[in-house]
RNA sequence: GGCGGGUUGGCGGAGAGGUUACGCAGCGGAUUGCAAAUCCGUGAAGACCGGUUCGAUUCCGGUACCCGCCUCCA
């Protein structure tokens, strides 16, 4: 079994081999917990969840260690606390709860570790101390800054040179920086802002250091895969590399870097000003099942920009209803080798979905169910949405009786009228010689059935 | 300005240097009291201009357009 992944570091698709035979370690940048996750936040969750599932399948469930952090110290959180007057811990605890609810709804497995930045402050302070000792960082005006010029490889991941970046910089440079590209490892905290005692005074960490510290503590100085959204490639991941490689020069940090492309909505960048900004919870509340959202995500390869559209959601819902109808009561067999092969080729989930369609057409329902589970689809705990919630048998019997009478009287009007009402309620009406079958379809609304009484 | 990515049939969206992607929609047929669902069949493509090649939508170069990052947004 060969897994091939596109490595952002080398810009090539490479055969994946774990650093430690039979053991795989993966780190993915998680959310800053100050608000509900929006649908863009969910894309890397689904993408790397799919990779997690594949790795578990290939190497064994216990052989894969997956860490995804919660950034719970951040100025956006501080701002939210100041606005609402609520304690920071309340906000971050609540947001983490939401995150779990929403990502669970998308069928994402919980990572092995979900470290909170605030629980690793000591590790960050130790790492910063080491960087200063090694000449890679310096203290200035209460801050500790990373000395970008001390790391020759800086910019390699994102294909930038320090000089080019300075030439094109649009940001105002803090006067205490030795070099405009130097970035903050530690900054002072004024009263009312979270802070910790450190050799450089009361303060808090910069953003990037947490991922370096936590990945080191949980996965070691060298690990296999580091993932995240493409927007993190610079500066966040570039800075992580600089910090980690300078702090642990014997390690290689992440071997494979993976970045998912961004998400758009109806062809446009999602933004609050365009009014097309929404959270996963918004979609769930509007009645889009998490499984439907997941299938929409998986329909586009992770390296390409993905467009969220209601049309795609509609199609995905139809597909899942059909498949769920097919595999109902079917025990899963083994995942089809074609599915394993195609997702092993750089996580080609769109190709895998095509194979699921093939399996459905071929009638291998046990294989369909098992293969879909590789993608986190058609699992039993995700299927409640496709059940009617009400027993349609009484209506089916009434319709059958009306139809029987119509067949004899040749007056089909009453039967047709009832059928039309059922269709209006979102019920799929299937009449055959053997009787009438009623199945809830897209947009099924049990309330509309009451009008039939 | 710097760096990176993309452009496939009506729509969505993959793979592969030569052979049907697939889904949705459409069309034809089977089926049905009529439908729906289902099944079978079917047309339709690779931005533009060059190059490499026996042969490119697939590799290379250029043009146009679109998008992202450079602002502690995944």
């Amino acid at each position: 079994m060969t897994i091939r992944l596109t490595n952002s570091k080398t810009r090539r698709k490479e055969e994946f081999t774990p650093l430690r035979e039979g053991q795989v370690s993966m780190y993915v940048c998680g959310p800053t917990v100050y608000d509900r996750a929006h649908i863009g936040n969910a894309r890397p969750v689904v993408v790397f969840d799919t990779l997690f599932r594949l790795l578990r399948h290939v190497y064994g469930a216990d052989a894969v260690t997956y860490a995804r952090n919660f950034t719970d110290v951040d100025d956006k959180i501080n701002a939210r606390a100041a606005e609402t007057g609520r304690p920071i811990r309340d906000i971050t605890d609540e947001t983490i709860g939401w995150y779990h609810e929403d990502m669970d709804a998308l069928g994402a497995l919980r990572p092995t570790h979900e470290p909170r930045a605030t629980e690793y402050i000591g590790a960050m302070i130790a790492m910063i101390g080491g960087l200063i000792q090694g000449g890679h960082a310096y203290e200035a005006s209460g801050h500790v800054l990373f000395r970008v010029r001390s790391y020759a490889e800086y910019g390699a991941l994102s294909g930038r040179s320090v000089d080019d970046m300075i030439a094109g910089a649009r940001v105002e440079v803090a006067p205490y920086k030795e070099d405009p590209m130097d970035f903050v490892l530690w900054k002072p905290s004024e009263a009312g802002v979270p802070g910790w005692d450190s050799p450089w005074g009361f303060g808090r960490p910069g953003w990037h250091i947490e991922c370096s510290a936590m990945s080191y503590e949980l996965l070691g100085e060298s690990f296999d895969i580091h993932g995240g959204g493409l927007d993190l490639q610079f500066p966040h991941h570039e800075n992580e590399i600089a910090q980690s490689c300078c702090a642990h020069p014997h390690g290689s940090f992440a071997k494979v870097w993976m970045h998912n492309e961004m998400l758009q909505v109806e062809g446009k960048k999602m933004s609050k000003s365009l009014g097309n900004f929404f959270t996963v919870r918004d979609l769930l509340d509007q009645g889009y099942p998490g499984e439907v959202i997941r299938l929409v995500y998986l329909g586009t390869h992770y390296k390409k920009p993905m467009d969220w559209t209601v049309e795609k959601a509609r199609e995905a819902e139809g597909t899942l209803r059909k498949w769920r109808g097919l595999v109902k009561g079917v025990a899963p067999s083994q995942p089809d080798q074609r599915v394993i092969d195609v997702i092993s080729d750089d996580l080609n989930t769109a190709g895998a979905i095509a194979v699921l369609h093939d399996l459905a057409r071929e009638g291998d329902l046990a294989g369909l169910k098992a293969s879909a589970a590789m993608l986190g689809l058609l699992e039993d705990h995700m299927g409640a949405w496709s059940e009617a919630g009400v027993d349609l048998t009484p209506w089916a019997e009434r319709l059958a009786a009306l139809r029987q009478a119509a067949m004899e009287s040749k007056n089909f009007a009453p039967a047709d009228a009832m059928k039309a009402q059922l269709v209006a309620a979102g019920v799929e009406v299937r009449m055959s010689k053997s009787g009438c079958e009623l199945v809830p379809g897209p947009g099924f609304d049990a309330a509309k059935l009451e009008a039939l009484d």
Side-chain angles (χ1 to χ4, degrees):
Chain A
M1 188 68 251
T2 303
I3 296 176
R4 291 162 59 78
L5 301 171
T6 297
N7 189 349
S8 304
K9 195 159 73 174
T10 59
R11 293 162 209 284
R12 280 203 304 263
K13 203 192 278 189
E14 301 171 346
E15 187 171 321
F16 174 73
T17 44
L19 290 165
R20 289 169 292 266
E21 193 178 343
Q23 291 286 319
V24 183
S25 47
M26 173 164 81
Y27 187 95
V28 173
C29 289
T32 301
V33 283
Y34 66 104
D35 207 350
R36 286 273 185 190
H38 64 246
I39 63 169
N41 293 311
R43 169 120 104 140
V45 173
V46 172
V47 165
F48 292 105
D49 178 64
T50 307
L51 179 57
F52 186 37
R53 287 168 187 269
L54 174 66
L55 293 169
R56 286 161 58 97
H57 176 80
V58 172
Y59 293 94
D62 297 330
V64 185
T65 306
Y66 172 23
R68 184 182 64 207
N69 65 294
F70 286 115
T71 299
D72 62 349
V73 50
D74 179 274
D75 286 349
K76 286 195 291 291
I77 302 171
N78 300 341
R80 185 58 54 99
E83 284 165 24
T84 59
R86 296 177 61 196
I88 282 171
R89 187 79 188 192
D90 276 11
I91 294 173
T92 56
D93 282 351
E94 178 182 59
T95 310
I96 287 170
W98 287 342
Y99 189 80
H100 278 147
E101 278 173 30
D102 297 347
M103 299 308 124
D104 289 353
L106 298 183
L109 301 171
R110 298 279 178 94
T112 320
H113 302 289
E114 295 186 279
R116 296 173 68 135
T118 51
E119 287 164 6
Y120 288 81
I121 300 292
M124 295 185 220
I125 289 172
M127 190 175 249
I128 294 169
L131 287 169
I132 293 175
Q133 271 197 337
H136 296 293
Y138 57 94
E139 201 178 346
S141 301
H143 295 67
V144 179
L145 295 150
F146 186 88
R147 184 177 280 126
V148 165
R149 299 284 181 183
S150 78
Y151 181 59
E153 303 294 307
Y154 191 80
L157 177 70
S158 52
R160 299 151 196 255
S161 79
V162 174
D163 292 325
D164 286 346
M165 285 186 282
I166 291 169
R170 300 185 305 195
V171 206
E172 200 176 325
V173 177
Y176 47 80
K177 288 188 179 181
E178 283 181 10
D179 188 282
M181 295 313 293
D182 289 351
F183 58 90
V184 171
L185 297 171
W186 189 264
K187 54 190 169 186
S189 288
E190 54 277 20
V193 171
W196 292 262
D197 288 321
S198 82
W200 321 285
F202 186 75
R204 60 195 193 281
W207 174 35
H208 316 293
I209 192 70
E210 64 174 79
C211 289
S212 288
M214 292 188 285
S215 63
Y216 175 71
E217 295 294 324
L218 294 168
L219 306 178
E221 61 182 14
S222 304
F223 56 93
D224 292 306
I225 300 168
H226 191 131
L230 186 60
D231 56 336
L232 294 181
Q233 189 178 41
F234 186 89
H236 183 55
H237 291 160
E238 202 71 73
N239 292 354
E240 274 188 57
I241 291 172
Q243 293 161 346
S244 293
C245 291
C246 291
H248 308 293
H250 301 300
S252 55
F253 199 42
K255 183 181 179 187
V256 180
W257 283 86
M258 293 179 68
H259 293 98
N260 62 276
E261 250 289 359
M262 300 291 100
L263 180 143
Q264 299 183 317
V265 173
E266 304 287 349
K268 290 181 182 148
K269 181 183 165 89
M270 182 170 71
S271 73
K272 286 179 178 165
S273 59
L274 283 171
N276 63 356
F277 181 97
F278 42 85
T279 64
V280 172
R281 177 51 50 184
D282 290 335
L283 289 177
L284 294 169
D285 287 347
Q286 285 165 31
Y288 292 103
E291 187 176 31
V292 169
I293 300 170
R294 184 179 181 97
L295 181 57
V296 172
Y297 281 126
L298 295 178
T300 301
H301 186 88
Y302 78 95
K303 298 266 305 164
K304 289 202 172 183
M306 195 209 102
D307 197 13
W308 172 272
T309 64
V310 293
E311 174 60 17
K312 280 186 183 175
R314 192 194 62 76
E315 277 191 29
E317 183 183 335
T319 299
L320 287 168
R321 273 189 196 283
K322 179 178 154 187
W323 286 348
R324 282 213 169 265
L326 289 174
V327 302
K328 195 168 183 179
V330 172
S333 56
Q334 291 300 306
D336 191 275
Q337 191 58 40
R338 288 169 290 174
V339 170
I340 305 297
D341 287 346
V342 79
I343 54 179
S344 294
D345 183 10
D346 202 23
L347 232 48
N348 182 5
T349 51
I353 291 166
V355 178
L356 297 185
H357 282 293
D358 291 339
L359 290 167
R361 192 169 354 91
E362 293 159 9
D364 180 4
L365 304 181
L368 170 62
K369 188 161 166 75
S371 301
M374 285 296 302
L375 298 172
L377 299 169
L378 302 186
E379 296 185 287
D380 292 333
H381 66 94
M382 297 272 289
W385 66 273
S386 66
E387 304 296 328
V390 291
D391 184 7
L392 295 173
T393 311
W395 282 280
E397 285 170 355
R398 279 171 54 191
L399 182 60
L402 278 176
R403 177 164 174 256
Q404 192 55 45
M407 297 283 265
E408 287 158 18
S409 68
K410 300 297 175 198
N411 175 15
F412 290 95
D416 284 344
M418 182 172 179
K419 186 173 74 178
Q421 283 182 290
L422 287 165
V423 170
V427 178
E428 203 173 280
V429 180
R430 302 178 183 174
M431 288 192 227
S432 66
K433 290 194 178 88
S434 53
C436 293
E437 191 187 354
L438 300 183
V439 182
F444 171 69
D445 184 356
K448 286 186 181 165
L449 286 177
E450 304 308 319
L452 282 167
D453 286 322

